[in-house]
């Protein structure tokens, strides 16, 4: 992040955890953010990257087609936060060329130190993304920070974007996405404790692998 605007880990920092099953890649992002300014209405939800929130970047194209430029199979997804005390489903805006390789669902809630987002990335039937032991997927996450307050005369908008692997050019350049290999492991305890998409938890108890960053 730009040191002129980033004021340390309490201003913005996060952890990113992933797991996978044959049905989906599951993620949990816990964000520390001392001033919360998420999108406030349906119009702002259309541009979630301008406010506090999370962006996902995925390249599911066949390996020989994973060039830096975006084409069908690579995408950017902006998650518009919901900041209640209990988790609620978030609007997700996906930008990419058709046909899209995945569907994405997410929930979020406020925490004492910021917020958390959990969700799943599900391959579409017949698409290029296949979740199996040894499969490779290019993935990145960015967390955005908007510290504008209601009484602030000059609105600055998003001040900081913190990418896990790539850069602020993730939306046009896939070359810096993280490169993940799916590896089977013995079943682990469930990562997700506050799923709200359905009565079942987002991460099944027998998920195949996980990574903590």
């Amino acid at each position: 992040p730009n040191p002129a605007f980033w004021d340390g880990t309490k201003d913005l920092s996060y952890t990113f955890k992933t797991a996978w099953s044959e049905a989906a890649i599951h993620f949990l992002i816990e964000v520390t953010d001392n001033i919360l300014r998420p999108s406030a209405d349906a119009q702002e939800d259309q541009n979630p990257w301008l406010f506090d929130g999370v962006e996902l970047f995925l390249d599911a194209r066949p390996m020989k087609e994973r060039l830096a430029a975006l084409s069908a199979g690579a995408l950017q997804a902006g998650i518009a936060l919901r900041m209640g005390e209990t988790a609620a489903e978030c609007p997700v805006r996906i930008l990419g060329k058709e046909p899209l390789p995945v569907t994405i669902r997410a929930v979020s809630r406020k925490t004492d130190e910021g917020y958390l987002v959990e969700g799943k990335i599900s391959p579409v039937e017949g698409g290029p993304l296949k979740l199996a032991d040894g499969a490779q997927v290019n993935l990145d996450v960015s967390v955005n920070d908007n510290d504008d307050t209601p009484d602030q005369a000059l609105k600055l908008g998003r001040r900081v974007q913190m990418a896990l692997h790539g850069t602020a050019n993730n939306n046009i350049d896939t070359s810096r996405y993280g490169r993940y290999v799916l590896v089977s492991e013995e079943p682990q305890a469930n990562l997700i404790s506050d799923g709200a998409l359905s009565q079942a938890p987002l991460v099944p108890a027998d998920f195949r692998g996980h990574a903590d960053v």
Side-chain angles (χ1 to χ4, degrees):
N2 187 331
F5 294 105
W6 185 60
D7 196 26
T9 57
K10 291 185 178 180
D11 183 23
L12 183 67
S13 57
Y14 65 93
T15 62
F16 176 55
K17 298 180 180 181
T18 59
W20 69 278
S21 66
E22 292 180 353
I25 296 171
H26 309 268
F27 60 88
L28 174 64
I29 305 167
E30 297 187 73
V31 179
T32 298
D33 186 345
N34 58 357
I35 300 176
L36 299 180
R37 173 55 172 101
S39 55
D41 53 40
Q43 182 175 358
E44 291 186 351
D45 285 346
Q46 292 300 305
N47 294 285
W49 29 81
L50 299 181
F51 307 95
D52 286 352
V54 168
E55 294 177 67
L56 297 173
F57 301 89
L58 176 76
D59 189 349
R61 296 173 294 185
M63 291 298 294
K64 64 181 180 180
E65 298 178 16
R66 291 185 188 177
L67 306 176
L70 273 68
S71 60
L75 60 84
Q76 170 191 12
I79 299 174
L81 301 178
R82 294 298 177 260
M83 291 292 200
E85 298 299 324
T86 59
E89 188 156 2
C90 303
V92 179
R93 185 178 181 191
I94 299 179
L95 300 180
K97 295 182 178 180
E98 300 285 350
L100 296 175
V102 299
T103 61
I104 299 174
R105 298 183 70 186
V107 298
S108 67
R109 66 173 173 86
K110 184 179 178 180
T111 65
D112 290 341
E113 296 183 345
Y115 58 91
L116 66 79
V117 181
E118 58 177 304
K120 57 184 179 180
I121 304 168
S122 303
V124 300
E125 186 175 355
L129 181 59
K130 311 295 183 184
L131 302 182
D133 188 36
Q136 299 182 39
V137 59
N138 292 4
L139 178 67
D140 204 2
V141 58
S142 289
V143 177
N144 300 317
D145 189 24
N146 180 326
D147 284 349
D148 289 346
T149 59
D151 59 349
Q152 186 173 324
L154 177 62
K155 306 297 185 184
L156 298 177
R158 183 184 71 185
R159 302 185 312 147
V160 173
Q161 182 183 44
M162 187 178 289
L164 181 61
H165 300 288
T167 70
N169 292 324
N170 273 353
N171 61 319
I172 59 173
D173 181 0
T174 70
S175 65
R176 299 291 296 276
Y177 295 2
R179 294 166 173 82
Y180 291 79
V181 177
L182 305 185
V183 178
S184 294
E185 294 183 354
E186 292 297 321
Q188 305 288 324
N190 201 324
L191 283 177
I192 305 301
S193 60
D194 198 14
L197 291 176
S198 67
Q199 293 183 352
L202 286 175
V203 175
D206 64 345
F207 74 82
R208 301 298 182 86
H210 74 283
D212 298 348
V213 177

